Amino acid sequence: MTSPAPVKHRSLIHHTGAGYFPIAFVARLPFAMMTVGVLALVVAIRGSVALGGLTSAAVGLGVVLAGPVLGDLADRYGQRRVLVPVGLANGVLLAVFPLVVAASAPDGLLLATAVAIGVTGPQTAAMSRSRIMALIALRVAPERRERTFSRAMSYESAADETAFVIGPFVVGVLAALIAPWAPIVAAALLSFLFVTAFALHPTGRAVPARADRAAMAPARALLHPRLLVLVAAVFAVGLFFGSTLTSLTAFMEARGAPEAGALLYGVMGVGSAVLALAVAVLPARFTLRARLLTFAVILTASAAAYSAGGSVETVTVVLCLMGIGIGPSLVTLFSLAGARAPRGRTASTMTILSSALTLAQALSSAVTGAVAESVSVETALVFPALAAVLLLAMAGVNAAFANRWDGSAVPVGSHG
């Protein structure tokens, strides 16, 4: 099918339709809520932070097992055929999970159900990035593509950040106002309704229904070091998210209000999302590699301050500073991934990064929860700083080899 010719005066929203971005945003929430909701539900019902963290890690394991496979299937056969059955299955599993927890089922069954929730986790964020990149390539005039790409990736990362904020916030509010099972049931309803709506949205046609295998880069291209360093960096971001949320939960549990951990976590996310959107207005001469280094340094310094703990007020201030570092870092990583994605492997690249983020978040939740319960809360508070150091190390590797991987320094929106 012949693609429409680019129209210079038409914005990206003209090509997506006004309803696309709200639908795509809400469709992210089940994915953002399920890890936190599982953690909060198990802690509330079973009374164990360690078991809650382990169950959350099981969700992440399911995501990492299925994520790259779902991305490859979407690249080959189209997103609709993948997302519709996956979203429906995820909704069913989320709906029955509170029953499994409340029935005092064996830990093995609990963990198996959590893995299944992760396997069916709808990779909406990755699929949305793939659609937007395809639309920009097909329908935006060449001279406007670089700027449009930069703004679109900033929005997508800000949407992720906001979803990661609103998800835990909604979990905390529903758990506090209704019951610990309410957030999981809400996530199930959102998966049924909005993931299906996203899957069936006309923008899905921007990605070919069946990719030409000869036009696709080989799968081994996904193992190139210039992509692996981004996967490792996104993994570090996931470690940061998981350890921060779980250590905050433990921190507030020690003060008699464990449900407030998710609410306090939202303080960091608000600043993070705002800064993620602000990345779009940064000058092109501030290259992606320089941005990643700069914001990784900010994150490492603020995470070190967080590890000192202190009063709730002090931790809240430090969380705001951490948000300044983490939001732009995530934007930059996905922008680099979009520029470096092998031919025909955009959805695969994005799902691999999203899977790395979720797996790391879940694993760090398990480890941090176990440490908080068996060692001390103070020790658990150190883990976000360790994750930030890993991100800084990967930012350094990227800066050192970016010229070799991407050619000479190029402006943002290309390979920067």
Side-chain angles (χ1 to χ4, degrees):
M1 182 175 68
T2 303
S3 300
V7 180
K8 293 184 179 182
H9 65 277
R10 289 181 175 174
S11 66
L12 180 61
I13 293 179
H14 172 86
H15 298 299
T16 62
Y20 171 76
F21 288 103
I23 291 172
F25 176 76
V26 179
R28 282 171 160 87
L29 292 180
F31 198 85
M33 292 171 65
M34 63 186 189
T35 302
V36 182
V38 164
L39 171 65
L41 178 63
V42 174
V43 171
I45 301 299
R46 298 293 180 92
S48 172
V49 175
L51 180 60
L54 187 60
T55 310
S56 180
V59 174
L61 177 62
V63 169
V64 79
L65 289 174
V69 175
L70 295 178
D72 183 69
L73 291 173
D75 278 332
R76 294 182 184 278
Y77 304 111
Q79 295 185 8
R80 179 175 299 185
R81 295 183 182 180
V82 175
L83 281 175
V84 170
V86 164
L88 294 176
N90 187 249
V92 170
L93 288 165
L94 285 170
V96 303
F97 185 74
L99 302 177
V100 175
V101 179
S104 300
D107 291 352
L109 178 58
L110 189 69
L111 296 175
T113 307
V115 170
I117 289 172
V119 166
T120 58
Q123 300 272 347
T124 309
M127 301 297 180
S128 180
R129 283 185 172 89
S130 178
R131 289 188 192 188
I132 294 301
M133 291 173 66
L135 282 170
I136 291 172
L138 289 171
R139 301 181 186 177
V140 175
E143 66 271 16
R144 297 182 58 217
R145 285 176 189 161
E146 179 182 313
R147 192 62 174 169
T148 303
F149 175 81
S150 178
R151 290 176 175 175
M153 290 302 101
S154 293
Y155 167 77
E156 288 291 318
S157 292
D160 284 344
E161 286 290 313
T162 307
F164 272 112
V165 173
I166 292 179
F169 181 81
V170 171
V171 168
V173 170
L174 292 178
L177 296 181
I178 302 177
W181 52 261
I184 295 295
V185 172
L189 291 174
L190 291 176
S191 192
F192 281 130
L193 298 175
F194 284 90
V195 173
T196 302
F198 174 81
L200 299 177
H201 194 274
T203 52
R205 301 192 190 105
V207 183
R210 179 183 291 271
D212 180 0
R213 297 193 181 194
M216 295 176 68
R220 64 177 178 275
L222 295 168
L223 300 178
H224 192 284
R226 71 179 189 170
L227 287 177
L228 292 180
V229 72
L230 302 181
V231 174
V234 169
F235 191 83
V237 172
L239 292 176
F240 174 83
F241 281 139
S243 58
T244 301
L245 176 60
T246 308
S247 61
L248 266 177
T249 300
F251 179 78
M252 295 308 298
E253 183 182 43
R255 286 155 178 77
E259 69 282 352
L263 299 177
L264 199 59
Y265 182 76
V267 172
M268 179 187 73
V270 170
S272 179
V274 171
L275 265 294
L277 283 172
V279 168
V281 301
L282 293 175
R285 63 179 177 274
F286 189 13
T287 61
L288 294 177
R289 73 195 71 169
R291 293 179 190 183
L292 187 58
L293 266 176
T294 300
F295 292 110
V297 168
I298 294 173
L299 181 65
T300 303
S302 55
Y306 172 83
S307 66
S311 66
V312 173
E313 292 76 14
T314 301
V315 169
T316 302
V317 172
V318 174
L319 285 169
C320 293
L321 297 176
M322 291 160 71
I324 294 174
I326 195 63
S329 295
L330 193 60
V331 172
T332 304
L333 287 168
F334 275 103
S335 294
L336 283 166
R340 293 176 180 177
R343 183 183 66 255
R345 295 282 182 178
T346 303
S348 298
T349 301
M350 295 303 171
T351 50
I352 287 172
L353 263 66
S354 295
S355 297
L357 183 72
T358 305
L359 174 65
Q361 182 180 9
L363 289 177
S364 63
S365 293
V367 174
T368 306
V371 169
E373 191 168 283
S374 61
V375 183
S376 68
V377 173
E378 290 72 21
T379 303
L381 292 173
V382 176
F383 282 36
L386 299 178
V389 169
L390 176 59
L391 174 62
L392 181 58
M394 293 302 100
V397 172
N398 182 72
F401 291 95
N403 282 340
R404 180 185 303 176
W405 291 334
D406 301 327
S408 58
V410 291
V412 173
S414 188
H415 293 302

